[in-house]
Structure formats: structure tokens, C-alpha cells
């Protein structure tokens, strides 16, 4: 057992890839919950960078309570309109006064939100289709001197909490993750009718994978019902191609299964997000820190997005546990499934968790005892360099949802 209290033991279940039923979900970047996650994290990054620029250190803030109230729209083939705008409230705390300086935190937040929304959901007219408000209470200033430009000290945990990560991704997890990323990347670039609100649910029963896609279509680029049907089929074919790159199992892809063509009830939107029509959102209700919702895995219910990256365990340990699992699987041969659980204790240095609990499923020809020391060494090194997570978050190198 390491001085850092690293525990390594066999996992208490089959590898997820071997379980009979697996469920995996991802809410795409235009989903209302993901909009909240994205705005909250964008604002958090902007505040952290602004603090560093102005005072040389990251001061106290958090924006992880951001909320979205859905609007109302009247979509129509060829282009409809938003009738009642979406309302987004950036909620949290931020240090506004420090050593005689006044820092315009709410202005910084509004600018960051606008830039993020214009980049990720360009169909939303900022100020008309979506109204953004901000209410940031005064921060406590208790993070002074823990993360500066010149030297980094290891801060104390702000809470007694835990983070969870796992690796490697199963075939179903890879399919769900990559399908959404590529739909909102290369596919949307070539097919502007696809909105960013793409939700994907993967279900594997034995060796059969069903992928259900809810894809918001943008009415301006859809001329009629036939064009809509063609768009749906294009999405289905693309996701099938992505899936077949990751598995030899049977894959069935279903798109917009609630559609009723005879009734004219289809997933047509003005802005490309269901937030325009009754679907509210909150930070932390969607994807976990690795970008997926995985009920076959242990998960933390902490919101990762919007938390301060200096000492907020709900952010740091979820990101770090995922990074540890990925690093171990990349470096140590014969690991089929790995779970990392990091528990903090309030007031304790974040590089010394209360426990680092590592559970492993090895390949049949690998004994855990033969790789345990190698696993512990990687975990120990990752914990020793925990402040790297802070820098990567501030620099925008890590995604939180």
C-alpha cells in the first residue's frame, strides 16, 4: 500500500464488455443540459484566465448552478421563428474585489457565454432567440495564493467528496461517443440541416447493439417532408458507418423514432436545439466528466462543469480519475476493465486523497499481482502531478461533459 493510500484489488463484477446488457448515453453539445454545462465551463475558464491576467492567481469562483428555461418556437419547412426566447441564467459566485481592484466578473461571464453559444449553436440569435442573464454572488477569496502564474502549491480539498473514472471504453461507449462528436463535426459541416442537439442512446444485448439517435433538424434547410426523411436516413447511414468502424457485432441504428409522418409530427426545429420548445436544462444533469452517461459503471453525481479548477474536488477528481484509468490502460498490458475512485477529505492536500481505490479486471493470462506495482506507480505519479489538471482546464485542454 502506497503512502498515498492507493488500494488495488480485483473488480467486483465482470468487465462491462462481457456483461449481457450494456446501456450508454450521450447528450450532444446542443442538448439543454449540455448547453448549461458548456456555458458554465466556458465562463469558468474565462474567469480563471482573467484572474491570472489581472492579479496573477486564480481567485474564488464557481458557476456550476447555471440553469436554462426553455423557450417556444414555431418551426416550418424552409424556416420558422422563435416565438418566446430561451432564458439562460448563469448562477454562482465570483471574487469581484481583490487588493483594491474591481474585477468585472459579470461582464466577463456574459462575454464568454456569448462567444461559446455563437460558436456551438450559431443558429441561435444571441439576445433574441436566447436571453442570457448572470447572477454571481461575491466569492470568499479563500483560494488566494494556491494557484499563481509563477509557482503552484498543492491546495487543500474544498470538500469531502469523490470522483470516478474508468477505462478502456467498451465498443458501445466508443460508438456513442464518436457518433455524436462526428455528427456535430464533419457531418454537420457538410449537412447544415443537422442541429447540434443530438442525443444518442446505445444498448447492447449480447452481441447486438441498438443505437437510438434523436437528431434535431433545422427547418431553414429542410424544404419538405421528403427532404426531412432523406435527412433522417443520411444520419442513420452515417452513424451505422461510424459504428461499424468500432465493432464486428450486429448494429441497428434508429433515428427520430418518435416521428409520425402521417400526422406531420417530426423533430423539426428553428434553432437546432430542443431548448426552443419546452426542454429545460441544468449543469450536471447530463454527461459525466468523460462525456458519457454509463449506468453499467460507477459514477459520481457531482457536476464537473463550472467548478473552480483549483481545489473543487467535484471537478478535479472526476477528471483525474478518468485520466489515471486511461493512462494505466495505455501503459500496462492485460487490463480489460478498470475503475478509479478518488475520495478527498476536506482540508487535506488534494495530492493525498483519503483513498485512491483502484479496481481491475485483468485478461485471463495476467495476474493482478504481477502488474499491481506498475499500476500503483502510475497512480502515485498522477496524484503527485494533480495540479496539471488545473492548468489543462484553464487552458481549455480538457472537456468536462
Amino acid at each position: 500500500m502506497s503512502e498515498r493510500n492507493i488500494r488495488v484489488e480485483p473488480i467486483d463484477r465482470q468487465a462491462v464488455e462481457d456483461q449481457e446488457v450494456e446501456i450508454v448515453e450521450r447528450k450532444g453539445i446542443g442538448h439543454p443540459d449540455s448547453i448549461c454545462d458548456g456555458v458554465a465551463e466556458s465562463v469558468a475558464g474565462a474567469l480563471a484566465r482573467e484572474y491570472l491576467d489581472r492579479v496573477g492567481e486564480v481567485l474564488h469562483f464557481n458557476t456550476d448552478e447555471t440553469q436554462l428555461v426553455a423557450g417556444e418556437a414555431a418551426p416550418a419547412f424552409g424556416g420558422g421563428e422563435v416565438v418566446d426566447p430561451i432564458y439562460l441564467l448563469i448562477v454562482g459566485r465570483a471574487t469581484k474585489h481583490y487588493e483594491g481592484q474591481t474585477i468585472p466578473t459579470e461582464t466577463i461571464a456574459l462575454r464568454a457565454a456569448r462567444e461559446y453559444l455563437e460558436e456551438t449553436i450559431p443558429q441561435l440569435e444571441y439576445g433574441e432567440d436566447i436571453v442570457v442573464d448572470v447572477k454571481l454572488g461575491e466569492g470568499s477569496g479563500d483560494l488566494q495564493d494556491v494557484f499563481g502564474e509563477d509557482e503552484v502549491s498543492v491546495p487543500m480539498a474544498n470538500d469531502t467528496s469523490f470522483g470516478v473514472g474508468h477505462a478502456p471504453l467498451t465498443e458501445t461507449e466508443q460508438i456513442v461517443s464518436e457518433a455524436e462528436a462526428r455528427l456535430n463535426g464533419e457531418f454537420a459541416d457538410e449537412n447544415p440541416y443537422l442541429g447540434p442537439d443530438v442525443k444518442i442512446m446505445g444498448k447492447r444485448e449480447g452481441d447486438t447493439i441498438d443505437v437510438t439517435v434523436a437528431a434535431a433538424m433545422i427547418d431553414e434547410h429542410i424544404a419538405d417532408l421528403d427532404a426531412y426523411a432523406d435527412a433522417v436516413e443520411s444520419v442513420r447511414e452515417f452513424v451505422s458507418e461510424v459504428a461499424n468502424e468500432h465493432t464486428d457485432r450486429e448494429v441497428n441504428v434508429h433515428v427520430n423514432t418518435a416521428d409520425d409522418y402521417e400526422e406531420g409530427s417530426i423533430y423539426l426545429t428553428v434553432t437546432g436545439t430542443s431548448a426552443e420548445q419546452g426542454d429545460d436544462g441544468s449543469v450536471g444533469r447530463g454527461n459525466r466528466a468523460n462525456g458519457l452517461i454509463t449506468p453499467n459503471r460507477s459514477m459520481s453525481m457531482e457536476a464537473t462543469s463550472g467548478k473552480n479548477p483549483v481545489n473543487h474536488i467535484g471537478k478535479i477528481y472526476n477528471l483525474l480519475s478518468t485520466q489515471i484509468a486511461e493512462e494505466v490502460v495505455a501503459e500496462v498490458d492485460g487490463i480489460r476493465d478498470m475503475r478509479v475512485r478518488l475520495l478527498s477529505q476536506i482540508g487535506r492536500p488534494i495530492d493525498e486523497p483519503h483513498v485512491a481505490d483502484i479496481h481491475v479486471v485483468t485478461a485471463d493470462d495476467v495476474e493482478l499481482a504481477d502488474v499491481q506495482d506498475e499500476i500503483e506507480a502510475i497512480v502515485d505519479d498522477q496524484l503527485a502531478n494533480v495540479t496539471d489538471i488545473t492548468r489543462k482546464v484553464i487552458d481549455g485542454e480538457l472537456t468536462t461533459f
Side-chain angles (χ1 to χ4, degrees):
M1 197 163 74
S2 163
E3 289 182 10
R4 280 197 166 88
N5 196 20
I6 300 169
R7 305 292 297 267
V8 180
E9 59 182 304
I11 210 162
D12 53 0
R13 56 162 170 75
Q14 287 180 299
V16 172
E17 197 75 82
D18 296 337
Q19 294 174 24
E20 188 63 23
V21 175
E22 180 184 5
I23 299 169
V24 183
E25 180 181 5
R26 172 159 174 81
K27 296 178 178 178
I29 56 172
H31 187 282
D33 292 330
S34 296
I35 292 173
C36 291
D37 286 330
V39 168
E41 187 62 13
S42 179
V43 171
L47 286 171
R49 291 188 293 273
E50 193 76 23
Y51 286 139
L52 283 171
D53 288 345
R54 287 175 178 256
V55 304
E57 56 197 274
V58 178
L59 303 178
H60 181 260
F61 74 85
N62 59 277
T63 58
D64 60 337
E65 300 293 340
T66 294
Q67 302 284 320
L68 181 149
V69 180
E72 182 182 352
F77 292 124
E81 62 182 348
V82 173
V83 178
D84 188 16
I86 299 161
Y87 177 74
L88 182 75
L89 178 61
I90 301 167
V91 186
R93 300 202 162 268
T95 304
K96 303 176 183 180
H97 305 282
Y98 183 74
E99 293 186 347
Q101 286 197 55
T102 298
I103 302 166
T105 56
E106 299 200 344
T107 301
I108 295 163
L110 288 169
R111 184 186 308 124
R114 184 186 70 244
E115 291 174 354
Y116 177 80
L117 289 168
E118 287 176 347
E119 179 183 349
T120 55
I121 313 179
Q123 208 73 17
L124 271 180
E125 189 69 34
Y126 191 87
E128 294 182 21
D129 297 338
I130 184 167
V131 175
V132 180
D133 196 1
V134 57
K135 297 294 180 185
L136 297 177
E138 183 71 39
S140 67
D142 61 355
L143 292 191
Q144 297 170 22
D145 303 322
V146 294
F147 193 89
E149 290 176 320
D150 299 324
E151 60 181 59
V152 179
S153 58
V154 176
M156 304 298 176
N158 78 313
D159 194 8
T160 301
S161 187
F162 66 91
V164 183
H166 69 263
L169 296 183
T170 64
E171 290 180 352
T172 309
E173 289 170 335
Q174 292 175 58
I175 290 166
V176 169
S177 178
E178 187 167 329
E180 188 275 332
R182 290 176 61 183
L183 280 171
N184 268 319
E186 65 197 72
F187 185 89
D189 289 344
E190 297 178 2
N191 301 282
Y193 54 73
L194 179 67
D197 191 350
V198 176
K199 182 174 131 178
I200 301 183
M201 184 71 73
K203 179 210 57 163
R204 178 182 57 77
E205 286 190 64
D207 285 327
T208 301
I209 299 173
D210 284 280
V211 181
T212 303
V213 182
M217 301 297 183
I218 298 174
D219 59 3
E220 179 184 351
H221 302 286
I222 303 284
D224 51 32
L225 192 59
D226 288 340
Y228 176 87
D230 289 343
V232 167
E233 179 59 19
S234 294
V235 170
R236 193 197 66 76
E237 290 176 355
F238 183 82
V239 173
S240 295
E241 291 170 5
V242 172
N244 288 327
E245 293 175 15
H246 292 281
T247 186
D248 292 326
R249 291 174 162 126
E250 178 187 349
V251 178
N252 304 299
V253 178
H254 317 269
V255 181
N256 293 358
T257 54
D259 287 347
D260 186 334
Y261 287 14
E262 290 185 5
E263 294 293 325
S265 176
I266 57 176
Y267 196 1
L268 196 65
T269 69
V270 179
T271 63
T273 171
S274 59
E276 71 175 35
Q277 195 69 36
D279 200 357
D280 304 319
S282 300
V283 171
R285 288 184 62 235
N287 309 318
R288 301 298 88 197
N290 70 343
L292 295 169
I293 302 167
T294 50
N296 288 64
R297 311 275 195 173
S298 299
M299 294 188 293
S300 166
M301 294 308 295
E302 285 274 4
T304 305
S305 301
K307 283 185 164 64
N308 194 300
V310 174
N311 74 343
H312 280 219
I313 292 303
K315 185 185 216 94
I316 295 169
Y317 274 10
N318 276 305
L319 292 171
L320 181 61
S321 60
T322 299
Q323 183 172 288
I324 287 172
E326 291 172 348
E327 182 72 11
V328 171
V329 167
E331 296 295 326
V332 181
D333 292 334
I335 295 181
R336 298 200 58 238
D337 201 330
M338 180 174 181
R339 175 177 66 200
V340 178
R341 298 188 294 197
L342 302 177
L343 173 65
S344 69
Q345 189 176 54
I346 191 167
R348 187 183 184 123
I350 62 173
D351 67 337
E352 298 178 13
H354 208 31
V355 69
D357 185 34
I358 316 299
H359 283 188
V360 182
V361 176
T362 58
D364 291 342
D365 59 347
V366 175
E367 294 293 330
L368 180 56
D370 294 336
V371 294
Q372 182 164 338
D373 288 348
E374 195 176 353
I375 293 171
E376 286 190 10
I378 293 171
V379 176
D380 194 60
D381 179 68
Q382 289 278 326
L383 286 166
N385 294 286
V386 62
T387 53
D388 288 351
I389 291 286
T390 300
R391 175 58 69 188
K392 287 179 180 177
V393 168
I394 292 173
D395 290 344
E397 296 176 15
L398 293 178
T399 59
T400 56
F401 67 99

